[in-house]
Amino acid sequence: MAHFEYQLHAFDLDSKFGFADGNMFGALLREKLGKLAPNKREVLVECVKRFLLPAIPRRVQTMIVAKGHNPIRLVAGETIDDVEDVTVGIREKDVLQIARELLRRVKA
């Protein structure tokens, strides 16, 4: 059985089009969870908060963007030049676990 891993890159926090234009997990969620899938943007934000931000060796300030492309970005004036090469791998099963957690929150 293949184990898929997604790469979350710190430099994507500095781009309106980062994290595959905010659609990094869209296909996975549609394929594995179908119509039950939670919002792909919410899953992406949660994954970035849990996996990528803790891996960055200094605190970076981010904001959630409600509409548009990449839903989690650096706040205005924040730079990431010194840590833009930070990358973490996140397993498919971890993405799906977070998606299921978000679904349970909605139902509660």
Side-chain angles (χ1 to χ4, degrees):
M1 175 188 228
H3 296 280
F4 294 104
E5 185 174 273
Y6 293 85
Q7 301 293 311
L8 299 175
H9 305 284
F11 62 76
D12 280 324
L13 292 168
D14 199 24
S15 172
K16 175 181 179 178
F17 304 105
F19 303 110
D21 205 22
N23 193 30
M24 178 173 266
F25 303 129
L28 170 67
L29 296 173
R30 279 190 308 275
E31 177 187 332
K32 300 292 184 176
L33 300 176
K35 293 182 183 197
L36 298 176
N39 182 300
K40 65 187 176 190
R41 295 168 55 84
E42 292 174 15
V43 174
L44 175 59
V45 167
E46 193 64 28
C47 288
V48 168
K49 286 180 177 179
R50 289 190 195 185
F51 296 97
L52 180 58
L53 294 180
I56 296 174
R58 67 171 176 83
R59 186 172 180 266
V60 294
Q61 295 181 336
T62 59
M63 63 181 176
I64 306 303
V65 180
K67 296 188 181 212
H69 306 272
N70 177 9
I72 184 165
R73 300 182 215 156
L74 297 176
V75 298
E78 176 74 80
T79 62
I80 201 163
D81 297 340
D82 60 324
V83 292
E84 71 180 5
D85 61 338
V86 173
T87 298
V88 296
I90 178 172
R91 296 176 298 182
E92 179 181 282
K93 72 176 204 162
D94 294 326
V95 174
L96 293 172
Q97 178 181 338
I98 288 170
R100 289 182 184 105
E101 287 175 19
L102 292 174
L103 283 173
R104 284 192 293 273
R105 286 183 200 168
V106 171
K107 290 180 183 179

